[in-house]
Amino acid sequence: MSARPELITIEGVTKRYLTSSGPVDALHDVSLSVEEGAFCTLIGPSGCGKSTLLGMLGGLVTPDRGRLLVDGRPVTGPDPRRVATVFQEAGLFPWRTTLQNVEFGLELQGVPAERRRQTAAELLGPLGLSGFAEKYPRELSGGMKQRVAIGRALALDAKILLMDEPFGALDEQTRLLMGEWLLDIWRRTRKTVIFVTHSLHEALFLSTRVAVMTARPGRIKTALDLTMEYPRAMESSEMVALRAKLWSEIREESLRAMR
Ligand SMILES: Nc1ncnc2c1ncn2[C@@H]1O[C@H](COP(=O)(O)OP(=O)(O)O)[C@@H](O)[C@H]1O
Ligand SMILES: [Mg+2]
């Protein structure tokens, strides 16, 4: 496993926001490395800087200290060819069909119409949206909209997919199915995923690595490597024990964040 090359390196990253009510220390000395092909999950209390860290990887937020390398090169700004992001809100264009939404990033990159149409159309099958190419977002369920947003990110074919609570707004059953679906997509596309969730189940079901963050200012408290085979037997004694361990780490930080 460790023979795999390191795709993402985060070293000593610190971030303070200056707000009208004073400074907010969002991240303190965060270091993390992620191998190519990994599914790395960040989990931690609200406000501990998870989105800030993803924002930095996506080139939208600048660190005060430390550095971030993607594929050996520093992140200097958004680069959708290297890093694509999916958020909790699908953020689809309501006037565009499914196909046109999936095509969007390619359009921005100036890919010719026919080629981008073809790329998007090929993605619809794996997205489970084959019959929905010509539908508008208002005609789609929450899970479908989120799959369109993921398709839009996948169309760019960046090696790295950042996912910030992508299933956070979905009901539990849809969410479980979306987890199964994402696992399949990740294994097929071999992307490197950085995933943010509050769900212990999602973290354990999906990840090769789970990084637990402390209450603000966020640091990496523990990083667990998960080597169990997929699909994971969530009721196995090993998983149940891991879940208890993970919860005790997170519970402590969530309590601190509430004080
Ligand atoms: N643009 C910003 N300006 C000021 N404060 C911010 C900004 N973005 C985030 N914060 C603050 O930084 C902290 C970390 O935020 P965030 O990275 O969104 O955490 P998380 O995603 O873990 O909930 C929070 O206290 C949040 O209010
Ligand atoms: Mg967030």
Side-chain angles (χ1 to χ4, degrees), residues 8-156:
I8 297 172
T9 309
I10 301 171
E11 276 175 5
V13 161
T14 294
K15 179 72 185 178
R16 166 179 280 188
Y17 290 108
L18 300 173
T19 74
S20 53
S21 50
V24 175
D25 288 313
L27 293 173
H28 181 75
D29 195 16
V30 171
S31 297
L32 185 72
S33 53
V34 181
E35 293 171 351
E36 182 150 13
F39 195 116
C40 178
T41 293
L42 301 175
I43 193 162
S46 291
C48 77
K50 303 179 294 295
S51 295
T52 297
L53 196 55
L54 256 56
M56 284 179 184
L57 286 170
L60 300 169
V61 178
T62 320
D64 296 332
R65 257 191 282 142
R67 58 177 198 156
L68 298 102
L69 302 177
V70 168
D71 235 349
R73 282 185 290 151
V75 178
T76 51
D79 183 354
R81 285 184 176 84
R82 292 206 292 164
V83 181
T85 308
V86 178
F87 300 96
Q88 181 170 337
E89 296 304 325
L92 304 179
F93 297 115
W95 59 87
R96 286 177 163 244
T97 63
T98 294
L99 198 63
Q100 290 166 343
N101 267 292
V102 173
E103 269 180 60
F104 177 71
L106 298 171
E107 208 173 305
L108 281 188
Q109 289 183 0
V111 174
E114 200 174 317
R115 190 142 62 82
R116 61 179 198 246
R117 182 70 34 106
Q118 191 189 343
T119 303
E122 283 170 6
L123 273 169
L124 293 186
L127 289 169
L129 294 166
S130 298
F132 298 87
E134 303 306 323
K135 301 281 188 210
Y136 289 87
R138 64 173 181 278
E139 300 174 280
L140 305 176
S141 69
M144 284 178 177
K145 279 189 240 186
Q146 216 48 21
R147 294 201 297 272
V148 177
I150 294 169
R152 188 174 55 189
L154 290 173
L156 298 169

